[in-house]
Amino acid sequence: MKPQVKNPGKLFARIMNYVFKTYKWHYLTVIALIFVSVLANVQGTMFTQRLIDDYISPMLLVDKPDFGPLGMAILRVAGFYLIGVLAAYLQNLIMIYVTQGCLRDLRNELFEHMQKLPIKYFDTHQHGDIMSHFTNDTDTLRQMVSQSIPNLFSSAITLASTLISMLILSIPLTVVVLLGVVVMLAVSGKIGGNSAKYFMAQQQALGKTNGYIEEMMDGQKVIKVFCHEDQTVDEFNKLNDELFD
């Protein structure tokens, strides 16, 4: 049975609420910049047809072509691409600020919460596993806030604008492409579903390995007194091989 995240929509909403709590206008600005960047790139791509049909083809039919209109058209499309580049640059700049701020706030809240936990919690949880929440798990959340969520918005806007452009250009070819996309999504979903359990197992194995290393380092004097160096190394190799696999 594959491990699954319970209520992924609710989890996504909690993350977005946490980000919007402090960086609402920053993130809305990022979404607007993504929209501008995607539309600028799509506009530049759509211009290729006009470039050939309206400028290059007519110039081939005359003896002394006028390159002025073509030059102005190229400058216009260059302007679109420049707007897209500037929007992408500002988007990344703002996301660095938002991501690092969210990570700082989250770790501060984690630390404050840890101070209120009873001693029993630390006796029943490995120190390395607790450290893993502060390092690996928060870093995973950082990647989601800084990359995955913006890419989700970017992909959605790109998909919608590209589909509209394709329908304008050729409906039959659009149908052919969509059939190919359906096949690709089916294959990707199958592969992704089979690999998800390994990603979750990797995080669990990483927590166990970190916890074991932390406890063995803290108790190395006891290990030496009772001559348990070989057993400790063997156990570490076992956990490390599980993580490697």
Side-chain angles (χ1 to χ4, degrees):
M1 184 176 179
K2 296 185 295 184
Q4 296 180 347
V5 177
K6 296 181 179 179
N7 299 320
K10 185 178 180 180
L11 179 61
F12 178 78
R14 284 186 62 190
I15 294 174
M16 293 306 298
N17 286 335
Y18 185 84
V19 175
F20 274 42
K21 182 173 63 176
T22 309
Y23 302 99
K24 176 180 179 181
W25 296 111
H26 295 84
Y27 223 92
L28 290 177
T29 303
V30 166
I31 295 174
L33 290 171
I34 290 174
F35 188 77
V36 172
S37 177
V38 169
L39 289 187
N41 289 326
V42 171
Q43 180 67 24
T45 303
M46 287 290 292
F47 180 75
T48 304
Q49 181 194 26
R50 292 184 53 207
L51 184 67
I52 296 173
D53 294 346
D54 298 343
Y55 296 98
I56 296 178
S57 295
M59 288 172 57
L60 296 175
L61 302 177
V62 297
D63 296 332
K64 296 181 179 181
D66 182 10
F67 290 94
L70 177 61
M72 293 300 297
I74 292 176
L75 286 176
R76 278 201 306 272
V77 75
F80 284 123
Y81 279 120
L82 180 61
I83 292 173
V85 169
L86 290 175
Y89 173 76
L90 292 174
Q91 167 205 332
N92 290 323
L93 200 64
I94 296 173
M95 279 311 305
I96 291 173
Y97 175 77
V98 172
T99 303
Q100 296 303 320
C102 285
L103 200 62
R104 178 200 60 210
D105 297 341
L106 181 63
R107 283 178 172 161
N108 287 338
E109 291 180 19
L110 277 171
F111 183 77
E112 291 174 1
H113 179 68
M114 187 177 67
Q115 304 304 306
K116 302 174 184 178
L117 293 174
I119 299 298
K120 179 182 177 182
Y121 179 85
F122 299 98
D123 290 338
T124 55
H125 292 76
Q126 292 182 327
H127 293 170
D129 199 22
I130 298 173
M131 290 171 59
S132 181
H133 289 308
F134 278 82
T135 55
N136 299 307
D137 293 349
T138 53
D139 188 63
T140 301
L141 187 60
R142 176 192 62 80
Q143 292 181 8
M144 182 175 184
V145 173
S146 65
Q147 299 177 14
S148 301
I149 296 178
N151 286 341
L152 177 65
F153 288 116
S154 178
S155 298
I157 297 171
T158 301
L159 179 63
S161 58
T162 303
L163 181 61
I164 294 173
S165 302
M166 290 169 61
L167 289 172
I168 293 173
L169 292 174
S170 175
I171 294 179
L173 286 178
T174 302
V175 173
V176 173
V177 172
L178 290 179
L179 290 175
V181 169
V182 170
V183 174
M184 182 181 69
L185 289 176
V187 174
S188 300
K190 183 67 176 177
I191 295 174
N194 289 333
S195 63
K197 58 183 179 182
Y198 296 110
F199 283 107
M200 297 188 69
Q202 181 189 35
Q203 289 300 111
Q204 293 172 356
L206 184 61
K208 290 180 181 178
T209 306
N210 284 341
Y212 185 78
I213 292 172
E214 177 69 19
E215 292 196 354
M216 293 307 104
M217 292 297 291
D218 288 342
Q220 56 182 309
K221 290 183 179 179
V222 178
I223 292 173
K224 288 183 178 180
V225 168
F226 290 96
C227 301
H228 272 254
E229 291 94 334
D230 293 338
Q231 294 92 325
T232 302
V233 171
D234 291 340
E235 184 65 23
F236 168 76
N237 287 333
K238 179 182 177 181
L239 292 172
N240 196 39
D241 288 341
E242 289 180 2
L243 175 59
F244 172 80
D245 292 336

